[in-house]
Amino acid sequence: MKELLRNARWLTALWSVLAAALVISCAVLFAGDPPLQTNLMLLLPPTERNPVAERAVSALADAAGNRAVFLIGHREPAKAKDAARRFAAGLRAGGLDRVQLEVGPIDPRRIVDFYAPYRFMLLSERDRAALARGPGELENRLRQKLYSPIRAGLTAAPSFDPFGLLDAWLGELPLGNIRLEPEDGLLVARGANATYVLVSAALDGSAYDNTTQEKALAGVTAAEAAMRRDAPDIELLRTGTVFFAQAARASAAREMDMIGVGSLTGVIILMLWAFRSPRPLLLGLLSVGIGISAAILFTVLVFGELFLLTLVFGASLLGEAIDYSIQYFSARLGAGANWEARAGLKRILPGLSVALATSVLGYASLLLVPFPALRQIGFFALAGLTVAYISVVLLLPAMLRKASQRDVEAAVATPRRMLAWWRLHMTRRACLALMAALLLFSIPGLLRLSGDDDIRLLINRPPALVEQAERIRALTGVGNSSQFFLVEGQTPQQVLENEQRLSQRLRALVARDGLNNFQAITSFVPSAAQQHENRVLWERAVFGDPAQLRALLAREGLRDEVIAALLADFQRGEGKPLTPDAWMESPLSTPYRHLWLGQTAQGFASVVVPNGARDIGVLDEAARDLSGVILVDKARSVSRLFRDLRKWGGLWLFGAAILVFLVLRVRYGWRDGAAMLAPTLLAMGVSLGLFGYLGVSITLFNLMGLMLVLGVGVNYAIFLREGGESEAATLLGVLLSAATTLLSFGLLALSSMPALHNFGLSLLIGIGIAVLLAPMVLSFRRDPVCAD
């Protein structure tokens, strides 16, 4: 440290250049398109042990992420359709090129023609059972096919499928799970009192990209305005990731402005009140500005992007980062006319260094949590505080050489009276009695504590958008399940075989009304083993006696050439099963391609998506003891991780307290170190007790907040312990530091995001109590206390 001070001028010049480069680089970064990340999925940790499951989570999110869906409704169908056409035209005029409104005529022949070459390997479940009993039903099936006056749905020609077995297979395809019907070239859904027309738009970029969001929202706003000019009573429902992402970005921007402006305003007022000069204020903001600029820049360099959650938190870091400057200004104020910049820094530098070390321990604990967002917040704070500390050490002595012009006695009058009161009333015995009373007060509250591990702590979804999304889901029948089954195997056929065993259980659930429906690739492509079994059934029950088959078909009027073609087709189809690759290449697979993950590092995999499960327990039961099948529920996995981390949180806090004590012991010894740590530990205990009395459920984020209370709260005891001959001025600095920190972190308690709210609430209560109890260190101090 002495070497650092001897080379102060050279280091100050070098740091000035580096600091300017950091601030300019940060300004350039935000002048363009800053890499802000609004994707909520990326806030979550990789909770699944299987990396393929994480890939599946991303694939399903991407499948629906970059589309915006609208329903245009009116009680009169004609008005709804006209309004939908105007709205779609408005979207296209607004720059959204891939807008889908009209649907071409649906040609069932395309589906029939695709499956026709494989028809002798395809059988419905009912027909498999029937053919296994023998050919007894074939004559009735033939007559039904030939003489039925109406054949609805997907049907093949009688000459091609005389027994209707392909028709039955096609009839089981899950194409009718949605409630949309083609009408006048549009897709229409029927509500209780209105008709709704579907309009969708594919985004050109990511729904989380700011430019894409602005373009999409501008287009939607203009299209809605144009539509309502002619039909003001039209109902417009919307859903899509882009709307939720934009709402999250806007909410974060509002909160960042609120917290940033609130913190800055409070700091300005407090600094001007305390020091009666704009110079300390400007220099304090300079050190903070350099620190936050460095934090933003380093975070983007390391992580490649900046979560909005981190940016909102960064706005609150201002109150803590300015603490180092405040202690320097307080030392200057206390020295009066005897101020000498380098000597003043040398006197407070040990305390600042210990305070930085304890804060670093608190924030470093966030780096151990397996949440990308919390790790980024921890890194952001470490970088910001460290750079702010270095700026104070290297820049302020060169920029604040002159003594303070404020009357020292007037400035410290109130802190001196507070110290006098404390010395008179708060002896060691009184402090011990206060500590015992606070502990007794806290214990009943601690016993009432309960936990909350809901994933919605990380998500703040606007109720209006949620309500619209639910209505669209109810009207269209298109689900958005957060659970899915991951099916794996060493080969594609093994995947299909494993999936078929799962599908059998899911069909039983649907029959018992425990599930609405499910999407599975085996609904479209049976495994090769089942296709072979189906062909064997065809061969035994239908083609086993060619002469009898010819006679049966001839009796019902089929020509000889038709019968010959049927027999030849059966022979040609031998050994050529339908494969997932063939199905994936067909346009028919387009809406379902996300179900097939294909080759992975562990083999091959597919996804089965259940819709409308009444109870998550039935899905667990469906996957039980099935080889290669696991149920993936990202929300439940994250909530379980929340629970596990919360339960271990007490041990984390205990371990961190031990580390902080060891840091304090190095400089102050074990007795004074324990006395300096005690106020912060009491503050944490009282905070938890208050949460119990108030019925506030404890979350992981409350515990993370208390971890920072441990790192930040002990700083006040450190500063007071290092006050020396300027105790009153030091107390002024401590009160000022606490006020700015409470103001900044306290504003987080007003956040609409539950995670930040809980985080801020813990900091607000914990730091508030810690600063009130910090003067205890003076009562337990072993060496004599010097007055001003």
Side-chain angles (χ1 to χ4, degrees):
M1 203 64 69
K2 292 180 179 179
E3 186 68 21
L4 177 69
L5 294 174
R6 277 198 295 268
N7 295 283
R9 290 186 179 179
W10 182 81
L11 290 172
T12 297
L14 178 61
W15 186 252
S16 298
V17 174
L18 292 176
L22 288 172
V23 174
I24 292 172
S25 299
C26 184
V28 170
L29 179 68
F30 273 81
D33 187 14
L36 298 179
Q37 181 56 258
T38 58
N39 188 345
L40 293 175
M41 291 298 295
L42 297 181
L43 293 175
L44 304 179
T47 55
E48 312 307 328
R49 295 181 180 179
N50 189 338
V52 182
E54 288 295 336
R55 175 184 163 190
V57 170
S58 299
L60 290 177
D62 292 342
N66 291 336
R67 291 192 71 82
V69 177
F70 308 90
L71 284 184
I72 315 298
H74 196 275
R75 59 184 178 276
E76 298 181 26
K79 288 188 176 181
K81 295 172 185 176
D82 289 342
R85 293 187 179 96
R86 287 194 297 272
F87 182 72
L91 291 178
R92 295 187 183 103
L96 296 175
D97 298 326
R98 293 185 290 168
V99 177
Q100 184 174 353
L101 171 66
E102 297 85 3
V103 292
I106 298 176
D107 185 5
R109 295 302 312 171
R110 295 182 63 187
I111 302 176
V112 175
D113 291 344
F114 174 76
Y115 284 108
Y118 312 101
R119 65 189 186 278
F120 299 119
M121 294 184 175
L122 304 175
L123 286 172
S124 68
E125 289 298 316
R126 178 180 176 278
D127 288 340
R128 279 170 58 84
L131 293 187
R133 294 191 296 268
E137 297 183 11
L138 290 181
E139 185 171 357
N140 289 334
R141 295 288 295 266
L142 176 62
R143 290 175 177 173
Q144 184 179 5
K145 173 78 174 187
L146 293 176
Y147 305 124
S148 176
I150 299 177
R151 292 197 299 270
L154 299 172
T155 60
S159 60
F160 199 74
D161 180 33
F163 301 106
L165 296 176
L166 178 60
D167 292 354
W169 154 260
L170 295 173
E172 288 191 348
L173 292 177
L175 303 175
N177 290 337
I178 61 175
R179 302 189 184 103
L180 294 169
E181 303 172 356
E183 186 176 297
D184 296 335
L186 308 174
L187 286 177
V188 174
R190 307 292 180 186
N193 301 306
T195 296
Y196 295 87
V197 180
L198 178 72
V199 179
S200 66
L203 306 178
D204 293 330
S206 169
Y208 302 102
D209 178 71
N210 187 43
T211 303
T212 302
Q213 291 174 12
E214 290 177 353
K215 179 180 177 181
L217 292 173
V220 170
T221 301
E224 181 179 7
M227 177 184 68
R228 293 193 183 281
R229 279 197 293 268
D230 297 319
D233 55 344
I234 284 290
E235 182 180 11
L236 173 63
L237 303 177
R238 73 190 75 191
T239 191
T241 302
V242 65
F243 301 117
F244 287 99
Q246 189 278 333
R249 183 184 289 266
S251 175
R254 287 192 301 271
E255 292 183 3
M256 189 175 65
D257 290 342
M258 175 190 71
I259 294 171
V261 172
S263 299
L264 182 60
T265 302
V267 167
I268 290 174
I269 293 173
L270 290 170
M271 295 280 282
L272 290 177
W273 172 80
F275 301 113
R276 299 295 199 274
S277 170
R279 189 170 180 82
L281 169 64
L282 295 176
L283 292 178
L285 293 179
L286 174 65
S287 65
V288 171
I290 296 171
I292 292 182
S293 297
I296 292 173
L297 193 62
F298 292 157
T299 300
V300 172
L301 289 175
V302 172
F303 293 88
E305 59 192 3
L306 195 66
F307 292 126
L308 285 178
L309 185 68
T310 305
L311 201 58
V312 173
F313 172 83
S316 69
L317 190 65
L318 184 150
E320 184 183 354
I322 204 170
D323 284 358
Y324 309 127
S325 301
I326 289 176
Q327 294 309 309
Y328 186 80
F329 302 144
S330 298
R332 172 176 175 260
L333 179 64
N338 298 321
W339 170 249
E340 201 283 314
R342 297 296 175 187
L345 175 63
K346 184 177 180 180
R347 184 172 63 80
I348 67 169
L349 192 56
L352 292 183
S353 300
V354 175
L356 175 66
T358 57
S359 294
V360 164
L361 285 174
Y363 284 110
S365 65
L366 296 183
L367 299 178
L368 304 177
V369 181
F371 273 82
L374 290 182
R375 286 203 302 267
Q376 192 179 94
I377 285 175
F379 180 85
F380 185 99
L382 289 175
L385 291 179
T386 302
V387 171
Y389 166 86
I390 296 173
S391 299
V392 169
V393 172
L394 296 181
L395 297 183
L396 292 195
M399 296 180 174
L400 203 63
R401 296 179 180 276
K402 293 183 179 181
S404 173
Q405 300 301 309
R406 190 179 180 197
D407 183 358
V408 178
E409 295 302 320
V412 301
T414 299
R416 180 177 284 113
R417 286 194 295 271
M418 295 174 65
L419 286 172
W421 182 93
W422 188 272
R423 290 194 187 96
L424 181 62
H425 296 92
M426 299 305 295
T427 61
R428 290 188 181 185
R429 183 174 297 179
C431 288
L432 290 172
L434 176 61
M435 293 169 64
L438 290 174
L439 284 174
L440 290 174
F441 166 79
S442 302
I443 289 173
L446 292 171
L447 297 176
R448 297 183 184 182
L449 286 175
S450 60
D452 184 2
D453 309 305
D454 197 329
I455 188 179
R456 285 173 293 185
L457 294 168
L458 274 176
I459 301 172
N460 175 38
R461 301 201 301 169
L465 285 177
V466 173
E467 191 269 339
Q468 291 183 63
E470 291 296 332
R471 289 193 60 196
I472 289 175
R473 189 173 298 121
L475 286 166
T476 63
V478 178
N480 186 24
S481 176
S482 61
Q483 302 96 18
F484 64 89
F485 297 95
L486 176 68
V487 185
E488 294 185 276
Q490 293 300 311
T491 65
Q493 291 307 317
Q494 190 177 26
V495 172
L496 296 181
E497 290 170 12
N498 292 339
E499 189 176 291
Q500 279 177 176
R501 286 190 282 271
L502 172 64
S503 295
Q504 289 176 354
R505 295 186 179 184
L506 295 182
R507 277 192 287 270
L509 275 179
V510 173
R512 298 199 304 267
D513 200 32
L515 189 68
N516 286 347
N517 53 69
F518 63 94
Q519 296 178 359
I521 194 173
T522 47
S523 299
F524 303 92
V525 185
S527 69
Q530 181 166 317
Q531 291 185 59
H532 175 72
E533 293 173 5
N534 291 340
R535 182 174 177 84
V536 170
L537 290 173
W538 271 93
E539 187 170 9
R540 290 176 180 172
V542 181
F543 294 97
D545 188 341
Q548 184 178 355
L549 176 62
R550 287 177 180 273
L552 174 62
L553 296 176
R555 279 199 309 271
E556 300 302 331
L558 269 72
R559 299 187 305 274
D560 289 341
E561 59 269 25
V562 172
I563 300 173
L566 191 65
L567 292 169
D569 285 348
F570 179 75
Q571 295 300 325
R572 281 195 300 270
E574 185 174 6
K576 298 178 182 178
L578 174 61
T579 64
D581 288 342
W583 181 74
M584 290 287 286
E585 292 174 0
S586 166
L588 302 177
S589 68
T590 301
Y592 307 98
R593 285 176 181 165
H594 58 280
L595 299 177
W596 183 247
L597 298 181
Q599 191 164 11
T600 69
Q602 301 174 5
F604 292 82
S606 69
V607 167
V608 176
V609 181
N611 293 315
R614 308 292 185 265
D615 179 10
I616 185 64
V618 300
L619 299 183
D620 282 321
E621 190 63 30
R624 191 181 307 279
D625 300 327
L626 286 182
S627 175
V629 178
I630 60 172
L631 175 64
V632 179
D633 185 347
K634 186 69 175 181
R636 185 171 60 168
S637 297
V638 174
S639 294
R640 283 175 176 172
L641 182 60
F642 274 18
R643 180 197 62 198
D644 294 341
L645 292 176
R646 177 178 55 79
K647 289 183 176 179
W648 282 96
L651 291 178
W652 288 0
L653 286 171
F654 178 77
I658 296 296
L659 290 175
V660 170
F661 172 72
L662 293 176
V663 172
L664 296 174
R665 183 183 179 280
V666 171
R667 178 166 175 80
Y668 306 109
W670 72 269
R671 288 185 179 178
D672 281 2
M676 295 171 71
L677 185 58
T680 301
L681 295 180
L682 274 173
M684 294 162 61
V686 173
S687 298
L688 290 173
L690 286 174
F691 289 150
Y693 285 123
L694 297 174
V696 176
S697 296
I698 295 300
T699 71
L700 171 65
F701 301 98
N702 290 112
L703 296 181
M704 291 300 98
L706 291 178
M707 189 74 77
L708 298 190
V709 170
L710 176 63
V712 176
V714 75
N715 290 354
Y716 305 132
I718 293 172
F719 294 148
L720 286 175
R721 177 66 172 75
E722 294 285 344
E725 297 180 356
S726 303
E727 265 187 6
T730 302
L731 180 59
L732 174 64
V734 166
L735 294 175
L736 193 58
S737 295
T740 57
T741 302
L742 287 171
L743 183 63
S744 299
F745 285 120
L747 288 174
L748 284 178
L750 302 179
S751 174
S752 59
M753 181 175 287
L756 282 179
H757 168 77
N758 292 331
F759 194 77
L761 187 63
S762 294
L763 286 164
L764 179 65
I765 297 176
I767 290 178
I769 297 173
V771 72
L772 293 177
L773 299 179
M776 281 185 179
V777 69
L778 302 178
S779 300
F780 287 101
R781 185 174 177 178
R782 286 182 298 166
D783 54 324
V785 177
C786 299
D788 280 327

